[in-house]
Amino acid sequence: CNAGHNPPYLLNAQDRDTIQVLHRTGMPLGVVEDATWEQGAVQLAPGDVLVLYTDGITDAEDSQGSSFSQERLLEIVQANLGRSAQDIQDALIAEVHEFVSDAPQFDDITLMVVVRTP
C-alpha cells in the first residue's frame, strides 16, 4: 500500500528501458476502516533502482504553470542509473528546484530512492 500516493517505479539496471510500475494493492491507508490489501513482491537485481515519491515532485510547477512530470522524473533516474541512491535523490531534487526556479512550492516534496548494490 502506498498511502494514496503515485505508484513507485522499479528501474532495471541491466535493461535501462525496462520500467516497472508498482501499482497499489488496495485503498490508501486510513481511508476505510478494516481495509485489506493484496500482497505482492518484486525482486531487485544488483543495480536496480526503486523510486517512491509524492505528487509534489511530479506536479511541481514552473512560473508558466507547466508540471515537472513523471516522464522527467524517469528520464533523470534513467540518466543516473549506476549511481548511489543518494546521488540519484540529489539529482532529482536539484532538477525539481531548477525546473521550479522562483515559483512558489505548493505541495510537499517527498522522495525515497533505493538502489541494490552490486
Side-chain angles (χ1 to χ4, degrees):
C1 50
N2 67 1
H5 294 294
N6 298 23
Y9 290 114
L10 177 59
L11 289 87
N12 185 305
Q14 300 303 313
D15 179 3
R16 292 177 172 261
D17 294 328
T18 299
I19 300 170
Q20 185 177 357
V21 180
L22 304 180
H23 294 285
R24 65 182 179 184
T25 60
M27 293 293 295
L29 291 172
V31 172
V32 178
E33 192 173 325
D34 299 324
T36 59
W37 295 271
E38 297 172 19
Q39 183 173 341
V42 294
Q43 188 160 5
L44 276 68
D48 284 358
V49 178
L50 177 65
V51 180
L52 303 101
Y53 61 98
T54 61
D55 60 357
I57 290 183
T58 53
D59 293 347
E61 293 183 353
D62 63 13
S63 58
Q64 286 78 42
S66 298
S67 294
F68 187 75
S69 78
Q70 292 177 341
E71 292 78 14
R72 186 173 274 120
L73 179 145
L74 290 171
E75 287 172 9
I76 294 164
V77 175
Q78 286 175 310
N80 286 279
L81 286 173
R83 299 181 70 194
S84 72
Q86 186 66 57
D87 287 347
I88 295 169
Q89 183 170 310
D90 290 346
L92 274 167
I93 295 298
E95 289 287 337
V96 169
H97 288 300
E98 183 177 329
F99 176 82
V100 170
S101 187
D102 293 333
Q105 181 178 335
F106 72 96
D107 201 354
D108 69 291
I109 293 178
T110 305
L111 173 66
M112 184 168 76
V113 178
V114 177
V115 175
R116 179 172 172 197
T117 54

